[in-house]
Amino acid sequence: MTRLQRYYLSYTGGFLLFIGVLAVLEQHGMPPRWIGYAFLFFTIFLYAAIGIMSRTSDVSEYYVAGRRVPAFFNGMATGADWMSAASFMGLAGTLYLSGHQGLAFVIGWTGGFVLVALLLAPYLRRFGEYTIPDFLGARYGGNAIRLVAVGAAILASFVYVVAQIYGVGVITSRFVSLQFEIGVFLGLAGILVCSFLGGMKAVTWTQVAQYVILIIAYITPVAILSYNVTGNPVPQLVYGQVLQEVTRLEHRLFNTPAEIEVRNLYRERADLYAQKIMQLPQSLTLEREKFSAEINRLKASDAQMKDIVAVERLRRDLPHDPDQARSQWENAMFSAVDRSKMPTHHAEAFPGENDAEQMAMRLNFMALIFCLTIGTAALPHILMRYYTTPTVRQARESVFWSLLFILLLYITAPAYAVFAKFEVFSHLAEIPLTKLPGWVAAWSKVGLVSIEDINGDGILQLAELSMNPDVIVLATPEIAGMPYVVSGLVAAGALAAALSTADGLLLTITGALSHDVYYRIVRPDASTQLRLVISKSLLLVVAVLAATVAAQKPGTIVSMVAWAFSIAGSAFFPALVLGIFWKGATRIGALAGMVLGTLLTLYYIVRVEFNEIPWLGISNLHMEPWLYIQSTSAGVFGVVAGFITIILVSLLTPSGDSASAFLKGIRRTEQRSGR
């Protein structure tokens, strides 16, 4: 056993002991809030200590950890870098809400690493520089393609890092009762203590520590739940039989008279909103007059002041103008439409009421797998990790270890979703609202769980319950009635997942700006010290900017991450793969393909997902999806356009003499290269 392995084995034992001590203290009356604080500050203290011990002023250590990370630990760090808040918090939640459709994330994200191992990792390591723009600049030549690569890396990484910081805000606001916006900036401090002082060297060893925590945190609650439900603590082996029970509950609960009544009421609400939208602007005026008349009636009667204030609040919350009314009422209408539909059965593949809907589901399933696979193989912060191993052979071996460590979480996520759904269907549906468990109110305060008694019967029907997918993993210990120390452990795991990925992403962004733009283009004679000062300064600026955007809650974690994958896949994958395997790919062709693929993907995401951008004064953006493909799979158009453009333009433009020599250099055998 190596010294590193002994260190991390001791660290794992110490963390398990810490959990045991907290469990004992909880039994003796330690309040849940203090347990949340203990997990938060203890884990951030650990990461900060590793970051401080790994501080460096060496450029090679700052950007690529000195290229001394063994394959096993690089695989573990890559696993933590990869398993973001989306994987930890969003994957099981997506499987919970969409059932079979959610498997596209598991297949796509896993398949992407096969492409990394076969097509990219060995060649990037053999190239031996610092960043992906470095590689593209050397392969195609010139600063233009380097700048385009920098722009695409920043865009994809920024969208991704916003999702991670958003996840940190959710965790801290729930488990230590902080305001969401404050939680976001507290999480930002945790991110900076890992990456600010030691760059890739500190981030690598912190990520190894974070992987230990996140995998223990992910597996523990579902193993306990599996044992409680089936008597077997290995959920991956027995969740199939629980799925059969979930299917039986679905058939019963979905067709009760009360459930059907609730869905009909939501359908009537959707029709009402549709009517109001068609009658704008008169309908908005009538709404305002209706509330004014009600207020006057209450004031003329002996109504209590609280009733008058309540109606005044409703009038004040009305949209200010017809455009705002259309936007708000459309959102409310679509929400009501979703709740009025018959829920999807968990095990049903490609659900739909007719052939067209089933075909749309099938197309989206395949398109999402394609985008996630390609996007995984093109994410700059993941590819950079293969610059850190001592040899090409270890770069390839670390892909194997990455897959193994990631597999532990991915084969658990489907079981997580099934067990959580079983608990909700068994112990939450059809109970009186006065007897709802405390976790419902706690998560309602954060805005991720909502209940509306639309039929007024005082009983919870499933259609009246709305749960954000990001809440499923975090809330499962509370749903299953486990001790609060398990909830704190899960929060610590989610925090580790978000922090580890955010650190890698911020390094990618600042590395692109400080190394590829400042050092390579603006000031090639800059000293080592100045380069590191520039990088750390940019790290602070980008981190604060990302936290500011995350505080606006721009979308769910999984949707933001899926957009980042589409952008990265469109920008990098065609240029990287053709650059490695086709010497005919030219600089102009690669430039055209990267720009067109990225712009097409961005255009599709914006037009399908958003109807207006208020701060730009743009409205009426929304368009119907092409071939029913949702915005989360926008990259399917960008990647195809990128490949076609690079090939066509390259055939029409002359290639340089340097391509053959470059390709010969990165394809030479490891024995001949001596690395």
Side-chain angles (χ1 to χ4, degrees):
M1 185 177 291
T2 65
R3 188 178 60 176
L4 273 173
Q5 289 171 330
R6 287 197 299 273
Y7 282 164
Y8 279 103
L9 197 58
S10 302
Y11 161 83
T12 304
F15 182 68
L16 292 174
L17 181 63
F18 171 73
I19 298 170
V21 170
L22 283 182
V24 172
L25 290 175
E26 183 181 7
Q27 288 184 337
H28 287 78
M30 187 176 188
R33 186 169 182 174
W34 285 105
I35 294 175
Y37 277 120
F39 271 110
L40 177 68
F41 290 114
F42 179 72
T43 54
I44 288 184
F45 171 77
L46 278 177
Y47 308 148
I50 296 172
I52 292 170
M53 287 190 292
S54 304
R55 64 186 182 277
T56 182
S57 58
D58 180 85
V59 169
S60 176
E61 289 188 338
Y62 189 85
Y63 285 116
V64 290
R67 303 191 202 282
R68 292 194 296 269
V69 183
F72 177 83
F73 288 102
N74 194 49
M76 196 178 279
T78 305
D81 206 348
W82 170 251
M83 287 190 290
S84 63
S87 294
F88 194 98
M89 295 166 58
L91 181 56
T94 301
L95 286 161
Y96 174 95
L97 291 181
S98 56
H100 176 275
Q101 290 296 108
L103 290 176
F105 286 92
V106 179
I107 299 170
W109 282 340
T110 307
F113 273 92
V114 178
L115 293 186
V116 171
L118 294 177
L119 303 181
L120 298 173
Y123 304 104
L124 292 175
R125 177 60 190 87
R126 193 167 288 135
F127 170 61
E129 285 292 337
Y130 295 139
T131 65
I132 299 307
D134 260 343
F135 182 89
L136 291 170
R139 165 61 180 87
Y140 294 107
N143 286 332
I145 197 160
R146 183 186 292 275
L147 287 173
V148 170
V150 166
I154 291 172
L155 182 61
S157 300
F158 190 80
V159 174
Y160 208 161
V161 81
V162 167
Q164 309 313 310
I165 297 177
Y166 171 85
V168 172
V170 171
I171 297 161
T172 51
S173 60
R174 167 63 185 93
F175 288 96
V176 293
S177 303
L178 290 174
Q179 189 178 338
F180 176 81
E181 291 77 8
I182 297 174
V184 162
F185 283 93
L186 180 64
L188 180 66
I191 294 167
L192 290 176
V193 296
C194 304
S195 55
F196 187 74
L197 294 176
M200 182 63 88
K201 180 184 175 186
V203 167
T204 297
W205 299 120
T206 307
Q207 285 173 335
V208 174
Q210 287 165 336
Y211 178 83
V212 172
I213 291 178
L214 73 88
I215 201 65
I216 291 174
Y218 199 81
I219 292 177
T220 299
V222 73
I224 296 173
L225 193 53
S226 174
Y227 181 77
N228 290 341
V229 174
T230 68
N232 188 329
V234 186
Q236 298 88 348
L237 298 180
V238 294
Y239 82 92
Q241 67 187 66
V242 180
L243 179 58
Q244 292 178 0
E245 186 62 22
V246 167
T247 303
R248 187 188 65 76
L249 288 169
E250 286 174 337
H251 284 296
R252 185 180 69 79
L253 293 172
F254 290 173
N255 297 297
T256 62
E259 197 71 40
I260 294 170
E261 178 197 12
V262 167
R263 291 202 295 268
N264 288 336
L265 288 172
Y266 278 115
R267 189 171 297 112
E268 291 173 10
R269 177 181 289 182
D271 293 340
L272 183 62
Y273 275 116
Q275 190 176 2
K276 285 184 183 178
I277 292 168
M278 285 191 294
Q279 293 175 353
L280 278 171
Q282 291 85 355
S283 56
L284 180 59
T285 304
L286 288 174
E287 283 286 304
R288 198 167 285 121
E289 291 175 353
K290 184 183 75 175
F291 284 125
S292 297
E294 180 64 11
I295 293 169
N296 292 335
R297 188 189 68 78
L298 290 172
K299 286 181 177 177
S301 65
D302 293 331
Q304 294 185 359
M305 183 55 69
K306 67 175 184 180
D307 297 329
I308 298 173
V309 170
V311 180
E312 284 180 337
R313 187 181 298 117
L314 290 174
R315 185 178 63 176
R316 187 178 65 242
D317 291 342
L318 280 174
H320 298 302
D321 54 59
D323 288 338
Q324 193 179 39
R326 183 181 300 279
S327 176
Q328 286 187 12
W329 289 350
E330 281 182 347
N331 290 336
M333 180 183 70
F334 290 134
S335 173
V337 168
D338 288 341
R339 290 189 174 201
S340 71
K341 293 180 179 176
M342 169 71 91
T344 302
H345 290 268
H346 193 89
E348 183 180 0
F350 314 122
E353 295 181 357
N354 51 52
D355 291 343
E357 287 189 7
Q358 291 176 0
M359 178 56 71
M361 297 296 280
R362 189 174 283 107
L363 281 173
N364 273 289
F365 186 80
M366 300 305 295
L368 190 55
I369 289 175
F370 175 83
C371 289
L372 295 175
T373 303
I374 298 298
T376 300
L379 282 176
H381 75 287
I382 294 296
L383 295 178
M384 279 177 63
R385 290 230 54 89
Y386 300 104
Y387 286 134
T388 65
T389 57
T391 65
V392 175
R393 180 187 295 276
Q394 293 212 31
R396 200 186 288 273
E397 288 175 359
S398 70
V399 178
F400 164 78
W401 288 114
S402 308
L403 266 174
L404 182 66
F405 291 128
I406 291 168
L407 189 68
L408 290 176
L409 188 145
Y410 278 7
I411 61 174
T412 307
Y416 224 123
V418 169
F419 277 101
K421 186 167 279 189
F422 175 77
E423 287 296 314
V424 169
F425 285 6
S426 302
H427 302 120
L428 197 62
E430 297 184 320
I431 69 170
L433 296 180
T434 54
K435 294 184 178 178
L436 287 175
W439 64 266
V440 175
W443 283 105
S444 297
K445 289 180 183 174
V446 185
L448 298 181
V449 173
S450 66
I451 287 176
E452 180 188 19
D453 188 19
I454 192 171
N455 62 349
D457 65 351
I459 304 294
L460 178 65
Q461 278 79 45
L462 287 176
E464 294 174 328
L465 172 66
S466 173
M467 296 178 70
N468 187 299
D470 301 334
V471 81
I472 299 298
V473 168
L474 296 176
T476 291
E478 295 169 287
I479 293 172
M482 297 180 193
Y484 195 80
V485 70
V486 181
S487 297
L489 173 63
V490 173
L495 190 66
L499 295 182
S500 60
T501 305
D503 281 327
L505 291 163
L506 285 175
L507 271 185
T508 300
I509 295 172
T510 56
L513 289 170
S514 64
H515 176 76
D516 291 298
V517 177
Y518 183 75
Y519 174 64
R520 291 290 190 185
I521 298 175
V522 177
R523 194 171 173 183
D525 60 343
S527 66
T528 298
Q529 187 177 10
L530 181 59
R531 289 166 62 189
L532 292 182
V533 169
I534 293 290
S535 180
K536 291 178 180 180
S537 303
L538 289 169
L539 188 69
L540 279 175
V541 173
V542 173
V544 172
L545 187 60
T548 304
V549 175
Q552 310 304 315
K553 301 181 179 178
T556 65
I557 293 174
V558 167
S559 63
M560 285 188 277
V561 167
W563 296 337
F565 276 72
S566 281
I567 293 168
S570 304
F572 292 114
F573 191 76
L576 283 172
V577 171
L578 290 175
I580 292 172
F581 294 99
W582 184 38
K583 68 177 182 180
T586 67
R587 178 171 66 242
I588 298 175
L591 265 173
M594 290 178 70
V595 171
L596 182 65
T598 307
L599 290 181
L600 182 59
T601 300
L602 285 175
Y603 171 84
Y604 195 80
I605 291 173
V606 172
R607 291 293 308 275
V608 172
E609 192 64 28
F610 302 100
N611 188 46
E612 59 181 10
I613 305 177
W615 56 280
L616 287 178
I618 300 174
S619 59
N620 297 321
L621 278 173
H622 184 73
M623 73 173 189
E624 291 300 316
W626 301 337
L627 302 173
Y628 310 107
I629 302 295
Q630 297 172 355
S631 67
T632 48
S633 304
V636 74
F637 302 107
V639 172
V640 173
F643 268 113
I644 294 174
T645 304
I646 293 176
I647 292 171
L648 290 180
V649 176
S650 294
L651 291 174
L652 297 174
T653 52
S655 60
D657 297 332
S658 59
S660 297
F662 179 86
L663 294 179
K664 188 177 179 181
I666 63 169
R667 290 179 185 173
R668 67 186 187 275
T669 62
E670 192 169 348
Q671 290 76 15
R672 289 177 60 189
S673 69
R675 289 190 291 181

